[in-house]
Amino acid sequence: YTHDYWILDADNTLHYFNEENYLSYPIPEKIDSIAASNRGENYVKVYYANQNIELLKANLETKAIEKHISPQGYNYKSIEPINAEHYLFTIAGGLMGVFDKYGKIILAPEYAKIEAETNEKGEYYKLTTADGLHGRANIDGTILIPAKYIEVTNISINRDVFWFLVRTPDSLVGL
């Protein structure tokens, strides 16, 4: 197991190192604090004095610290990587959304909870509204099932067929 370290020095330069690598990244803005991402994979969250949050990744293949662009216009509470391409973000008020590494919104911050799931057909997102209603979206953000159901259950018929069983607030059930 390799231990990863992030250090911010007095010159506002962010340093990443482990037993095999050393990278540095000068940051022009005033930083309030940094925190390692709880998702691992060499990510660090940078909290700026102006209340912005940025996600940086130490890319050990290119030997560079990459800045992942977060969409402008949101008051972020947190940003976490979901996978190599997408980031879960929470805004003030607790609503969640997803953006990609280029800053494009995949899912607007309209959900109380978003979870990445994987099945035989690939990845998708489980969506839950503040009212406790559920839905599903595919990995590119296309809504497969609108978040208006009390329950959404995954049903795998075989490797080629994958359905969702839904239950409405009126207790109607459908596929």
Side-chain angles (χ1 to χ4, degrees):
Y1 177 75
T2 302
H3 294 282
D4 301 306
Y5 302 93
W6 290 93
I7 296 174
L8 180 66
D9 69 19
D11 295 326
N12 226 37
T13 299
L14 189 62
H15 303 272
Y16 167 85
F17 61 96
N18 62 23
E19 286 86 358
E20 301 168 3
N21 300 281
Y22 171 79
L23 306 170
S24 65
Y25 185 81
I27 297 183
E29 298 177 50
K30 174 84 171 111
I31 293 178
D32 185 47
S33 63
I34 63 172
S37 171
N38 63 10
R39 300 280 181 157
E41 299 182 27
N42 309 329
Y43 287 97
V44 66
K45 291 182 278 188
V46 178
Y47 296 88
Y48 292 98
N50 65 8
Q51 304 299 311
N52 286 338
I53 301 173
E54 186 171 65
L55 197 62
L56 302 175
K57 179 180 181 180
N59 185 330
L60 302 181
E61 291 178 16
T62 63
K63 302 293 185 197
I65 294 179
E66 300 173 343
K67 178 178 180 178
H68 290 254
I69 301 166
S70 40
Q72 299 300 307
Y74 293 101
N75 182 4
Y76 294 105
K77 277 181 61 180
S78 70
I79 298 174
E80 292 293 335
I82 296 172
N83 56 39
E85 300 289 322
H86 293 156
Y87 303 91
L88 179 68
F89 68 95
T90 305
I91 61 172
L95 294 177
M96 301 175 127
V98 175
F99 66 86
D100 69 13
K101 67 181 181 179
Y102 304 105
K104 177 184 172 207
I105 296 289
I106 302 298
L107 290 169
E110 302 171 353
Y111 304 96
K113 187 174 184 181
I114 297 175
E115 297 175 273
E117 291 285 325
T118 304
N119 63 30
E120 297 86 11
K121 295 291 191 183
E123 288 184 89
Y124 65 94
Y125 294 117
K126 292 171 65 174
L127 311 172
T128 305
T129 67
D131 297 331
L133 300 177
H134 304 278
R136 298 291 188 271
N138 70 11
I139 199 73
D140 69 6
T142 302
I143 301 296
L144 302 171
I145 299 171
K148 63 180 187 179
Y149 298 100
I150 290 176
E151 184 178 3
V152 177
T153 305
N154 305 343
I155 299 174
S156 182
I157 305 300
N158 60 44
R159 291 188 67 136
D160 298 321
V161 179
F162 194 86
W163 292 355
F164 295 100
L165 179 67
V166 297
R167 186 164 58 98
T168 68
D170 299 330
S171 292
L172 299 175
V173 176
L175 289 176

